[in-house]
Amino acid sequence: MITITRKTLKVLTFLIFICSFIPAGAFAATFYVAPDGDDGNDGSRATPWASLSHAGAAVKTFGDRIYITEGSYDDNAQCVLAKGVSIAGAGWDRVTIHTTASPYILAANSVPVVDGSNEIYGITIDGGDRAAIAIMSRGRSNQKIHDAVFANFTGTGVAIYGKYGWDDTSGHFWRNDATASTTQTCSWAYNNLDFSVPPAPSDWAAGVEVYNNSFNDCKLHPNVLSGALIQGNTFNNNGQFGGNRSSIGHTSYWFDSCDINDNVIRSGDQGWSIIAIEMWEIRDCRFFNNISDSWFSLRGSCIGLKDGQKYNYEVFDNRFEAHYTPTTPAPAIEVMSDIQAADIYRNYFTGSAWEEGIAVWGADSGANKSSDDRITNIMIRNNVFDRLDNSSNYGGVHLSANQRNTVIENVRIINNVFDGNRQGINLGGDGGRLGGITLTNNIFMNHTDKVFVTNGGGFGSVKVDTCIDYNNRLWLLDNAGVIAQENILREDPGLQQFGSRPAPYYLPLEGFTNTFDAGKDVGLPFTGSGPDIGAYEYGLNNDVIREAANAIDPGEDVESSDTDSGEMDGGEAPAHPTEETGDPDFVSETDEAPADKAPASNPGDSGKESSSSSGSGGTCFIGSLTR
């Protein structure tokens, strides 16, 4: 008989209490893969395995890790990764795995989405110019993929999903067969958007982080993500790897409270299958500090914003620069369909490849529903549109109510600079309705065709107020006869016009009365006796302007009936991710990238940092100036 004394019981209770504070994985094991290993070994440091695919089959305990030592590997079997198992390589420039398997690494569960807690980093995976996928994660939250290189997969380097399509098996969300009886969540009903069914709370993959990677001739394909971070990645898709040369997304669906920032995207072309970022069904997402030579296609939410969400998306501090002859000219930013509110600001647009800087329009799918396709509460502010002179250019900003039920209303275009474009603003009531358009405190200069063009019918009010018209070929071609204008100044705007663009080139000259303190109060902060005209307010930094703008109700100027934002029975998205949670003790530090890989193929050139509301990575907009 065992007798437990009161003292022994206290000791056991104390030990149990202490163990409750030991994090999961504290006693995790590490297994090793090496070029001279053998899959018949036990995976220890002394007797490592030879392949990652074998290691994936052998390591199943949550919290365990697979370490890949320096070397080159040929591994054509699939690595099936268990929940909670991490893969760490000695460094992206020290470990290269050549594979024909697709997907090579599979981390998969069915819905409801589970805690995956897989982390993959420090490796290069090369698909050898095959139509394959390097990593597929589906049905798992808390996935981290970082400091890795994915090369030559002729399509997708990383695919990361919550629910894997409306049927959870095909990866397809677009449905042409949806009816009023459709019940499958994550159904995006092209034939009638009224029949779309949003993700259920258990469909979302939360806490996904993809950062500091390099994608060479392949893309990142995300779907059904909440609270995701896509940051500091480089996409080099100038190579000819098939018809699809997109970088992030490409008909990707369902995003809530995600940050896409500090990425560098090089496509060398644009077209319907060559898109820098294409993400649809967006709520409360932010795209900032990215550099791109191809276009963003951003669609709103057909089922509306959740309570407390202000915008479908914010797009700010990005640099869009494209100097080439495109396959199919496109806008730098496509603002398309079902927008409850969007804020687009402090971006820089330049180059002859763009058809427009910003295009706001409906879509053919938007016409396939019984209600109006409403695009409302758009703010376009503090941007610079510089020399967009494509021969088919429709302007720095193009608003087109291009479908029978497209309604575009309450668009505020304020404090921008339009310089040297073919056209400035192109407005088309092309079958739908367009109204409540205000343009204030803008500078229009050096346009080679027309500054303002209107066509078609279905117009409501369009007002141009307190703007500068300088050295333009033609100010106005108002075919629709709808533009009201006042306080138009036809004088030199008084910009610095030296140095780098956009800043300091487009900064106002202090004391130059045509722009300095000469603007109209539009609700943004300013110094002096009044706002400056143009993209920059002398004396204020970016954060002050952004915070103040976010205090403005985006719907306050709507002239017609209020937009029904709708409700969505979707999963709650966590807060925007902020902190780095890497494992510096597990993978040795990598040396400086070899010259043939840096900087284009060097993951983490920009470094993963805390998500913030402003930065200089994309636009080089300068901050505070002394008045």
Side-chain angles (χ1 to χ4, degrees), residues 196-392:
S196 293
V197 183
S202 59
D203 292 339
W204 297 92
V208 167
E209 298 185 14
V210 181
Y211 60 91
N212 295 357
N213 301 290
S214 182
F215 293 78
N216 300 327
D217 290 341
C218 57
K219 70 173 180 283
L220 167 65
H221 199 234
N223 287 276
V224 200
L225 302 185
S226 68
L229 175 70
I230 300 173
Q231 181 185 81
N233 303 287
T234 299
F235 296 84
N236 303 296
N237 286 334
N238 290 317
Q240 298 291 335
F241 62 92
N244 186 339
R245 288 165 53 192
S246 298
S247 293
I248 299 176
H250 194 86
T251 53
S252 291
Y253 302 88
W254 312 109
F255 300 94
D256 195 319
S257 303
C258 299
D259 277 357
I260 299 88
N261 62 281
D262 293 280
N263 302 287
V264 177
I265 302 172
R266 300 299 186 200
S267 300
D269 200 355
Q270 53 189 256
W272 298 121
S273 294
I274 308 171
I275 310 174
I277 299 176
E278 185 175 45
M279 295 168 60
W280 293 1
E281 296 303 315
I282 302 174
R283 304 184 309 183
D284 192 35
C285 291
R286 306 190 304 173
F287 301 80
F288 61 98
N289 286 354
N290 301 290
I291 299 173
S292 179
D293 71 350
S294 196
W295 58 300
F296 290 11
S297 175
L298 307 177
R299 185 186 181 109
S301 173
C302 67
I303 36 71
L305 301 177
K306 293 188 300 187
D307 289 344
Q309 292 182 332
K310 187 168 186 178
Y311 298 109
N312 294 96
Y313 48 80
E314 297 176 73
V315 185
F316 60 98
D317 288 343
N318 301 285
R319 185 182 186 99
F320 297 91
E321 184 166 4
H323 303 283
Y324 51 76
T325 301
T327 298
T328 303
I333 302 176
E334 178 185 53
V335 180
M336 179 178 62
S337 291
D338 291 310
I339 304 292
Q340 290 78 46
D343 196 4
I344 303 172
Y345 57 100
R346 292 199 321 250
N347 301 286
Y348 177 58
F349 305 87
T350 188
S352 60
W354 304 116
E355 187 174 55
E356 300 96 351
I358 299 172
V360 181
W361 49 38
D364 53 359
S365 57
N368 295 336
K369 63 178 186 177
S370 59
S371 57
D372 289 336
D373 178 13
R374 301 177 70 85
I375 304 169
T376 62
N377 306 322
I378 309 297
M379 186 178 291
I380 298 172
R381 60 183 177 89
N382 302 105
N383 302 285
V384 173
F385 302 85
D386 175 22
R387 294 167 292 174
L388 309 181
D389 55 0
N390 186 292
S391 60
S392 63

Side-chain angles (χ1 to χ4, degrees), residues 111 138 161-175 184-188 203 223-224 254:
V111 292
R138 61 179 190 256
Y161 294 70
K163 186 177 181 182
Y164 189 51
W166 58 265
D167 56 359
D168 201 31
T169 59
S170 66
H172 297 152
F173 301 91
W174 179 311
R175 300 194 64 178
Q184 291 96 336
T185 59
C186 299
S187 294
W188 191 80
D203 292 339
N223 287 276
V224 200
W254 312 109

Side-chain angles (χ1 to χ4, degrees), residues 453-488:
V453 182
T454 65
N455 290 290
F459 277 92
S461 65
V462 180
K463 184 175 181 180
V464 182
D465 186 6
T466 314
C467 291
I468 292 179
D469 165 23
Y470 179 68
N471 197 36
N472 299 297
R473 179 178 174 272
L474 180 64
W475 170 246
L476 179 63
L477 182 60
D478 187 9
N479 295 313
V482 295
I483 292 181
Q485 52 183 323
E486 59 183 46
N487 302 321
I488 307 302

